[in-house]
Amino acid sequence: MMSNNHLNSTNRYVALDVETTGFSPQNGDRVIEIGAVAIENHGIVDEFSSLIDVDKMIPWQVQQVHGITNEMLEGEPKPNEVLPEFYKFIAGSILIAHNASFDIGFLRHEFALLGMSLNNRSLCTLKMSRKRYPHLPNHKLETVSRYLLGESANQMQMHRALDDAKLAGMIWIEMGKI
């Protein structure tokens, strides 16, 4: 018997997160790290992670958020090397992100710079958590993950793309069990 549970679908979902040089692609900010996990049949089945050298200085204040320094990006692949591979990874998938408009907006901008488009359907765990858990003090990834996942959330390094993508994916899976 089928339920309305979103995890019963045979679709492939990809939870993702990006780290950037700032807050706005319109102001020239760029994606410097992508992390993503593929979800099928209630579990994480694959992952994608890469730093990206965009030849743009990361402001000190931004480095304090995610810990990625200009030196860490030296010698890392360029966007034209990483993004086509990431495009293959997400092909045909429904995208999941915590604050999807931010992450998807940055990715659309990066793909556009390469003459590519991003048309995948997306879901936002931030919006979902606001509706389902209005009693939480806030709906930051860290708060929601600690509420839903308990101690397993403490094992992750916050504000790094792959771990944040894993948390978003695990939050989405957990919300699907309700």
Side-chain angles (χ1 to χ4, degrees), residues 20-38:
T20 64
T21 61
F23 298 108
S24 173
Q26 290 75 24
N27 292 336
D29 292 317
R30 303 289 305 273
V31 172
I32 55 172
E33 185 178 39
I34 297 174
V37 293

Side-chain angles (χ1 to χ4, degrees), residues 54-153:
V54 294
D55 293 322
K56 179 174 173 54
M57 297 300 289
I58 306 166
W60 182 84
Q61 306 90 311
V62 177
Q63 290 181 36
Q64 301 311 300
V65 173
H66 50 53
I68 300 171
T69 64
N70 295 302
E71 295 76 26
M72 290 170 66
L73 298 182
E74 290 175 11
E76 293 295 331
K78 302 288 186 190
N80 65 334
E81 299 169 87
V82 175
L83 290 164
E85 290 302 312
F86 183 64
Y87 191 81
K88 291 177 193 170
F89 185 80
I90 64 173
S93 301
I94 297 170
L95 306 180
I96 300 164
H98 200 78
N99 194 6
S101 62
F102 180 86
D103 297 276
I104 304 296
F106 261 99
L107 287 171
R108 280 196 174 114
H109 178 76
E110 291 291 340
F111 281 124
L113 292 174
L114 296 175
M116 302 169 74
S117 62
L118 177 62
N119 299 311
N120 300 55
R121 190 171 142 227
S122 64
L123 304 169
C124 181
T125 56
L126 174 61
K127 288 180 180 177
M128 292 170 71
S129 69
R130 284 179 176 151
K131 287 180 184 173
R132 290 190 182 196
Y133 313 111
H135 62 280
L136 292 178
N138 63 60
H139 294 87
K140 294 177 183 177
L141 181 64
E142 184 174 9
T143 304
V144 177
S145 63
R146 286 198 174 130
Y147 176 74
L148 289 175
L149 307 172
E151 284 301 310
S152 58

